[in-house]
Amino acid sequence: MKYLNRFFLLFVLTCFSIVSATAQLAQMKAGFANPSDKYKPGVYWYFMDGNMNAKTITKDLESMKKAGIGNLIFLEVNVGVPRGAVDFLSEQWTSLFAHAEKEARRLGIEITLGIGPGWTGSGGPWVKAEQSMQHLVSSQVTVSSDDHKKIVLPVPAPQKPFFGEGNLPEDFKKQWREYYKDVAVLAFPATSSVKAISDYEEKALYYRAPYSSATVKPYLAEPDFKSDQRKGIEKGKIIDLTGKMDADGTLNWTPPSGKWIVMRFGSRNNGAITRPAPVPGLGFEADKLDTTALNAHLDAYLGKIFKKIAKPGSKSNGGLKRLHMDSWEMGAQNWTANFRQEFLKRRGYDPITYYPVYSGNVVGSREESERFLWDLRLTAQELVLQNHANHVKQYGKRHGLSLSIEPYDMNPTADLDLGSIADVPMAEFWSKGFGFNSTYSVIEATSIAHVEGRSLVPAEAFTAQNNEGWKQHPGSVKNQGDWAFASGINRFVYHTFQNQFLPDSLKPGATMGPYGVHWDRGQTWWPMAAAYHQYITRCQYLLQQGRTVADILYMTPEGAPHVFLPPASAIQGDTIGNRKQYNFDGCSPLQLMKASVKGKNVVFPSGASYRLLVLPAYESMTPELLSKIGDLVKQGATVLGSPPLRSPSLSGFPDCDKKVLALSETIWGSVAKPAAQTKRTYGKGTLIWGGELASRIDNLYPQYELTADILKSENVVEDFVADEIRYTHRTGSNWDLYFLSNTQNKPIKVDARFRSTQGSPELWNAITGKRIPLTDFKTDHKISTIPLQLDAYESCFIMFSKENKWLASKTKKEALIKTLVRLNGPWEVKFDPKWGGPASAIFDKLSDWTTNKDEGIKYYSGTAAYHKTFDFPQANLKQPIYLELGKVKNMARVTLNGKEMGIIWTAPWKIDISNHLQVKNNQLKIEVVNLWGNRLIGDEKKPDDGIKDDKWPDWLLNNKPRTSGRYTFTTSKQYNADSPLQESGLMGPVTIIQETIKK
């Protein structure tokens, strides 16, 4: 009876599992066809220093809703536009923000709010110098008992601000110079053996430069202690004179015999201010290590806003939902009022003896001093994580808000650790060819999300430098956007939608200076953007389902700062390089402490699972981390990496080093470096190290091919193989989903191999929303092979589901294309005279507008409608019939016989017209839109009536007619009269084609 009961229970659970999986797939199909608003892309919604009004706020939000934008990040900055009349955080400003928030609720648009003015961090004019970011600075004098002179210690000077004194307004420059608070006075014998640490400014966190612009190391290399054995200041001879100095610097102390160095230590502001903030929002950045200072800032800024808006809630999908910490661009700090106490509590020893190391002096030995600096940076990181990032998170939670963080750039902590605090880890990528390479942040944010189980991974998308000039559009960004999807991003937040506060007649309109891709309602193509955004929304919906599949987990070293960079050999290509056949993530040691082992895989509470853990080529590791790694191997994990030889910390030194060596010898069997690759069983798991794994190092890790060979030797099949196609793989309980994208600007045919046999494959087209069962496939053990044909930069999803049970076709199928009609000239083309074009023109043949003799067409920017009447006697054909447009610059809307067929913005440049053809008098309209460049270039031949000397033109201020003859107006000049014109219009050939399947 017990056996029967168990059998019945197992039967019920199996049936429930099948029903549940079927329901899940049905939900995914419905969600793919019509995804909800929460899967829509977003924008950075920028306001320009007081240029704002309620009317254009509503217009912006309504245009977002219509175009398919579902969320935004609200920031106010001051970049290249004359100041407006609304002072930041004034009563009028907060009322306008409340209006924006209320309108967003009405429209169902989610708002994320930066936690300070500008985009750097958290600060403002309300931040007092004593609650700002601090440095421990010092001055020193050499004294002797023979001098018999009064000893006066000079006030230590502040460190130069990273962005220079010129970045500080005069009133803040005065505060920066004047603020000072004494901390300690130390004396020690002057000795020639005191040796400077040459790069102490970076190691002691006096600065952390931006990594994106390649001015700073991604991490600090392990010091070479063996080559520097000279002694420094003797710790036992350091005297604490802190209580013996008067307020004016007079030291009441008579030195013993000989010469002595006396150092005065004090706290100074680090010179970081909000940037690029509106003028009324300029101020010091709040102390990132102290909750009291942070609370004061949050109450002064967010508290004022919260009083004006309704309490965030779940009744609406829109309105304020999240707080945001943007890219870390305020540098580093190494001091706060209670830093000494926090250091002692966390590291177990008093740091005061090592204060001279802050200024590059060696105390004890070089090794001892470097270990102290490591402890200093770790303590600063822990305080940033606890007292800043996590404190903001808890503050937001009390107000019903989550937190997103872009954890990179000038970040003085380890990027992965800062990002792991976020509810929503976020990345940034710049438009290819228009700025910096910050693609590493995509790898970091997606790694954080996968390890932590965060389903949403947004990216500040297509950020651009000052050479973008309205050149980009949905078609031009598709390839890079698909790269981002394949890299793990699943929400685009376009940078930038500038609030269009100018009259609608003035286009392209307002900008954020010359920066950002222009993703706003001033764009020529904005009325057609909804079709592209629908593609993005469908992709984002699917890419937020299940979890990402990756085989390799790269662990970063302990300590800070650190930028996670995988082996360059694991990426194929340039700034938008693609993952190879085995996908990977990175994790920090803090994250790894939460891992366990299931089977042979390293798994996290989130469900993230990895077949291989790869350690960094570092000789140091704390005993606590090493013990954890040993436990993972014991449980069955496979770990690739050499045994560590010492601890990086001074905590518990020298016993900590003895513990590390003892653990390494226990786990690896020996700490000697083997000449050949070596494998060792430890518990249920395996360690692999030595040979080329130690000598062929790429960004701290063995070259990818070596790691891939190990996976193959462990019978781990490559996840995806196909030339010229990028991929990402997500999985659920009964399905595998691959996103694929052609990396070439030409059609390709390829046999693609997938590591899935969950069921028969189905192609999901995110542009059309259609799902097509694939019968031309083969399965062999763990591999499915599918012949694929993709057009230029075309993408698709391939779904394997246990629900799909159709059989593979025994005969190969091939698509045949037959041209039925060529729609030659003439064409009637209607332009908009408001933008300089003729009301109507006849094109005998399709051609580029810029080659036209009519300057109204040559320099035209906007939409033109091509009209054609044609007969189609074959209108009763059963097979699908398409209108193919040929070459289009840049988007097109097709209407046939009064019925809108849809918008075409990417290859394949065709649309299904099967059900709307008639035998006689087909009325075809193709509306084609180009970019702003040509009209802007043409206008440069006319008098300049724009912004001059940072002032709006009189005609605009006084609402008078323009006399220059220009059609366009913008706040940023990015062209001149000699700039090359951009191809525009419909160039064809336009044909009607039929697709049939040859069996």
Side-chain angles (χ1 to χ4, degrees), residues 945-948 951-962 969:
D945 63 351
I947 296 169
K948 292 178 182 176
K951 293 180 181 178
W952 297 107
D954 288 340
W955 62 265
L956 178 58
L957 292 174
N958 299 317
N959 198 26
K960 292 181 179 180
R962 299 177 74 177
F969 180 87

Side-chain angles (χ1 to χ4, degrees), residues 823-854:
L823 298 178
N824 299 318
W827 293 79
E828 183 186 13
V829 187
K830 296 180 180 181
F831 295 86
D832 187 346
K834 183 173 64 177
W835 299 107
S840 180
I842 300 297
F843 280 32
D844 291 329
K845 63 178 181 178
L846 297 174
S847 60
D848 177 2
W849 297 347
T850 66
T851 63
N852 202 292
K853 294 179 181 179
D854 185 337

Side-chain angles (χ1 to χ4, degrees), residues 458-472:
E460 178 181 331
F462 306 107
T463 309
Q465 272 282 33
N466 57 0
N467 59 342
E468 194 274 343
W470 294 272
K471 294 184 183 78
Q472 296 196 91

Side-chain angles (χ1 to χ4, degrees), residues 9 92 101 187 276 310 312 344 354 379 526 614 623 625 663 694 836 874:
L9 179 61
Q92 185 182 8
E101 203 273 343
L344 179 59
Y354 296 94
T379 302
W526 192 253
V614 184
L625 176 60
L663 281 167
Q874 306 170 58

Side-chain angles (χ1 to χ4, degrees), residues 21-78:
T22 301
Q24 183 189 20
L25 193 63
Q27 185 179 13
M28 286 178 69
K29 290 176 180 178
F32 174 69
N34 293 292
S36 69
D37 287 356
K38 73 176 185 175
Y39 297 104
K40 290 180 176 179
V43 291
Y44 271 73
W45 194 26
Y46 275 108
F47 287 79
M48 284 294 146
D49 199 0
N51 291 288
M52 60 195 310
N53 61 75
K55 184 178 179 181
T56 59
I57 284 172
T58 295
K59 280 189 174 183
D60 279 2
L61 290 168
E62 288 180 342
S63 80
M64 291 180 202
K65 179 71 174 181
K66 189 174 182 180
I69 296 296
N71 55 88
L72 62 88
I73 295 178
F74 181 102
L75 294 170
E76 182 163 351
V77 297
N78 176 7

